[in-house]
Amino acid sequence: MAANLQDFPMLIDGEMTASRTGEWMISVNPANESELGRTPAAGAEDVNRAVEAAEAAQPAWAELTVFERGNLLRKVAGALRERAKELLDVEVADTGNTIGSLKADVEFAAQGLEFYAGLGTEMKGETIPASSANLHFTLLEPYGVVGRIIPFNHPILFAAGRMAAPLMAGNTIVIKPAETSPLSASIFGDICRRILPRGVVNIVTGFGNPAGDALVRHPRVKRIAFTGSVATGIAIQRAAAEKSVKSVTLELGGKNPLIVFPDVDLDTVAKAAVGGMNFSWQGQSCGSTSRLMVHESIYSRVLERVSDITKSLKVGDPKDPASQMGPINSARQYEKVKYYIGQGKEEGARLVTGGGRPSGKDFERGYWIEPTIFADVQGDMRIAREEIFGPVLSVFRWDKVDDVLKLANSTDYGLTASIWTNDLKTALNAARRVRSGFVWINQVSAHYIGVPFGGYSNSGTGREEGLSELLSYLEHKSVNVALR
Ligand code: NAI
Ligand code: MG
């Protein structure tokens, strides 16, 4: 009954609009497969309109003082909090993520806006004493139009929080949300439309191709920032390089290790191991510690505790605040997770819990999978090496420090790592040797505004969430002034 579906238009040049293609994408609720609404399926012409609007708005936006831009970003943060309920209703239904987690996402996005709003005067250049006959200094200037492509798992967090740095730097932006959870971007577009000058923020919904691809290839978008899978990140680097020179940063996937040394409190570490899997996003969070590596002297005891906690997780309606896990985001992702569970069984890993669809009337439709643990996983298995992006934890046993670090560093990824021990030297040596961009010691999952986040290896290039993210949206210009 597509005719009765609510429309969630996109934002181009200050107006909520459909696509010139006339095409729409239908959004599905992964908890029950019902149709929630439709968003425009943008084509290259829509992307071009958005880039032109952003380009036209950019000089006046950059002319505002950093305090004026900061104040406008703070207003957007305020509006996010005021309209949080409306955003959450749509976002929980569209993503399947649990409401408690998404509440935290909205707040984190608002705090990100406020953080960058206060950093305007940190966009400093330098003076260089290169000669005495001249004055040499640098100016940091915006690129112009930034293209921002985001994944399905944290839609509002990435749309709102990750536009703060580019806008604060004086750029305008075109955002491309993911096709399986684009609805909240329409509400967010309405927020931006009411607060910011027209054209400063544009949101183009649509598929990776043509919409995302057209944005990446657009000749007048020099700065691209992407969050998503490695395969798409590589495709974007290639496309961006084909006809012009662009600055591209990538925040990609992870297969992150959590290393447990023998001296830890077993209950604490077991709880953390379950927390680190981000089951409230069904494991669909890039920083999830999906490889649990436990020293053999405590392996069975930790595994038993982790398994008990995992079995006790309440899987159910993501709108219910009591639910600790919801459905997988989309049919495609659901198939992928099921495929990897099959691989784990085939390759001889031991299925400790989960692996199937939860039973009961509530789970007859929708993309439900039980929280799943494989034990006795070997380093060469696919569930040891490849990102599943689902609620599947792989548990490994280790004996020597050198071996566990080799195992930790044995994938193509390098996003996060978590190290558990009460011995300072052991912890810091492991932190230094692990090839990951973001390391936790005796903690998991947490992001801290101001602390740079990003990956080694195929997990990406560039850092976000700190001052360096702001500076990454600026060109550097050197000025040489003759003094005599
Ligand atoms: P995806 O790579 O399939 O899609 C991400 C976005 O790229 C979507 O908006 C999609 O429409 C767009 N896209 C697809 N093909 C494109 C193309 N050829 N040109 C331009 N745009 C294109 O990723 P998905 O499935 O949405 O998200 C899951 C992935 O994201 C996981 O691998 C996860 O680890 C990663 N991720 C990384 C994070 C980080 O900060 N490092 C955070 C969250 C997710
Ligand atoms: Mg959806």
Side-chain angles (χ1 to χ4, degrees):
M1 292 295 286
N4 297 330
L5 281 180
Q6 187 186 341
D7 288 350
F8 290 79
M10 57 186 179
L11 174 65
I12 297 179
D13 200 14
E15 284 173 22
M16 302 309 292
T17 176
S19 166
R20 291 265 165 93
T21 63
E23 283 168 34
W24 296 83
M25 307 183 295
I26 292 176
S27 251
V28 170
N29 183 340
N32 55 25
E33 296 171 58
S34 67
E35 294 182 345
L36 291 165
R38 49 178 210 164
T39 48
E45 192 197 335
D46 300 305
V47 171
N48 193 46
R49 270 201 297 151
V51 172
E52 279 176 0
E55 205 171 28
Q58 196 269 331
W61 176 249
E63 268 304 304
L64 296 179
T65 68
V66 291
F67 304 104
E68 288 167 329
R69 288 207 296 277
N71 282 337
L72 287 168
L73 294 188
R74 284 190 196 93
K75 276 193 188 158
V76 174
L80 276 179
R81 292 193 179 101
E82 270 164 35
R83 294 177 70 174
K85 189 181 170 318
E86 187 188 346
L87 282 163
L88 287 170
D89 281 349
V90 163
E91 181 124 316
V92 171
D94 199 13
T95 59
N97 297 340
T98 57
I99 187 157
S101 301
L102 284 178
K103 246 184 210 160
D105 271 14
V106 173
E107 179 54 29
F108 205 65
Q111 286 177 17
L113 284 157
E114 289 164 345
F115 170 70
Y116 288 106
L119 283 186
T121 55
E122 293 304 311
M123 297 186 278
K124 296 166 184 162
E126 48 190 352
T127 59
I128 305 118
S131 71
S132 42
N134 302 280
L135 172 65
H136 309 272
F137 63 92
T138 61
L139 291 173
L140 306 194
E141 297 181 337
Y143 280 94
V145 180
V146 168
R148 189 67 178 102
I149 299 174
I150 56 183
F152 68 74
N153 56 342
H154 301 279
I156 194 68
L157 171 60
F158 287 139
R162 294 293 196 275
M163 76 171 194
L167 292 187
M168 199 57 210
N171 303 282
T172 51
I173 195 165
V174 178
I175 300 171
K176 211 298 275 171
E179 54 269 41
T180 60
S181 24
L183 296 185
S184 64
S186 187
I187 300 171
F188 182 60
D190 186 58
I191 289 175
C192 293
R193 184 179 69 86
R194 288 163 193 273
I195 296 171
L196 300 171
R198 69 188 293 161
V200 167
V201 173
N202 304 274
I203 300 174
V204 181
T205 49
F207 294 101
N209 206 349
D213 186 63
L215 183 55
V216 169
R217 289 175 192 270
H218 200 288
R220 294 199 302 287
V221 178
K222 183 161 178 189
R223 177 75 173 88
I224 301 286
F226 171 72
T227 305
S229 62
V230 172
T232 307
I234 291 172
I236 284 176
Q237 270 186 326
R238 197 184 302 120
E242 230 163 62
K243 287 219 175 94
S244 54
V245 172
K246 293 178 195 269
S247 168
V248 179
T249 51
L250 305 169
E251 290 276 358
L252 309 176
K255 186 76 183 178
N256 308 301
L258 190 162
I259 304 174
V260 187
F261 286 87
D263 63 332
V264 296
D265 178 72
L266 302 188
D267 291 319
T268 308
V269 84
K271 213 172 137 214
V274 177
M277 261 312 293
N278 297 316
F279 283 113
S280 57
W281 283 279
Q282 298 71 249
Q284 302 163 133
S285 223
C286 52
S288 306
T289 39
S290 54
R291 290 187 297 155
L292 174 60
M293 301 170 184
V294 188
H295 189 265
E296 62 174 11
S297 62
I298 52 170
Y299 180 83
S300 337
R301 283 175 289 158
V302 170
L303 181 58
E304 193 189 334
R305 285 168 169 80
V306 169
S307 160
D308 286 347
I309 303 172
T310 304
K311 280 180 198 154
S312 76
L313 291 175
K314 186 175 178 312
V315 181
D317 182 359
K319 293 195 298 299
D320 179 352
S323 293
Q324 293 168 298
M325 192 177 132
I328 305 294
N329 181 267
S330 65
R332 191 188 85 172
Q333 191 63 23
Y334 178 62
E335 291 305 323
K336 182 177 164 194
V337 176
K338 283 201 303 188
Y339 170 78
Y340 274 108
I341 290 173
Q343 284 292 305
K345 289 180 188 162
E346 240 170 68
E347 290 182 297
R350 177 159 65 88
L351 183 65
V352 175
T353 181
R357 201 180 174 88
S359 52
K361 207 167 86 341
D362 294 349
F363 307 111
E364 276 164 14
R365 293 188 64 78
Y367 314 129
W368 298 95
I369 290 181
E370 295 169 313
T372 298
I373 301 178
F374 280 107
D376 308 342
V377 177
Q378 303 301 316
D380 55 355
M381 294 178 179
R382 291 188 67 188
I383 61 163
R385 314 182 56 80
E386 297 174 23
E387 184 188 49
I388 301 173
F389 218 57
V392 183
L393 177 66
S394 299
V395 189
F396 305 73
R397 179 200 301 265
W398 64 273
D399 175 17
K400 298 196 184 64
V401 178
D402 283 352
D403 293 343
V404 76
L405 283 163
K406 204 167 150 199
L407 177 66
N409 293 337
S410 66
T411 72
D412 294 335
Y413 294 101
L415 192 54
T416 70
S418 171
I419 295 158
W420 286 77
T421 170
N422 293 314
D423 184 85
L424 190 63
K425 284 185 189 166
T426 304
L428 294 181
N429 275 310
R432 211 159 63 168
R433 290 175 65 189
V434 75
R435 303 278 304 156
S436 303
F438 198 85
V439 178
W440 294 288
I441 295 177
N442 297 333
Q443 55 173 313
V444 286
S445 290
H447 287 233
Y448 301 95
I449 284 171
V451 181
F453 184 91
Y456 279 28
S457 305
N458 280 356
S459 287
T461 177
R463 294 293 177 269
E464 296 183 340
E465 301 178 33
L467 176 60
S468 56
E469 181 184 348
L470 178 65
L471 302 180
S472 81
Y473 288 105
L474 295 156
E475 297 261 35
H476 292 225
K477 177 186 283 175
S478 297
V479 182
N480 306 280
V481 188
L483 293 179
R484 38 183 196 255

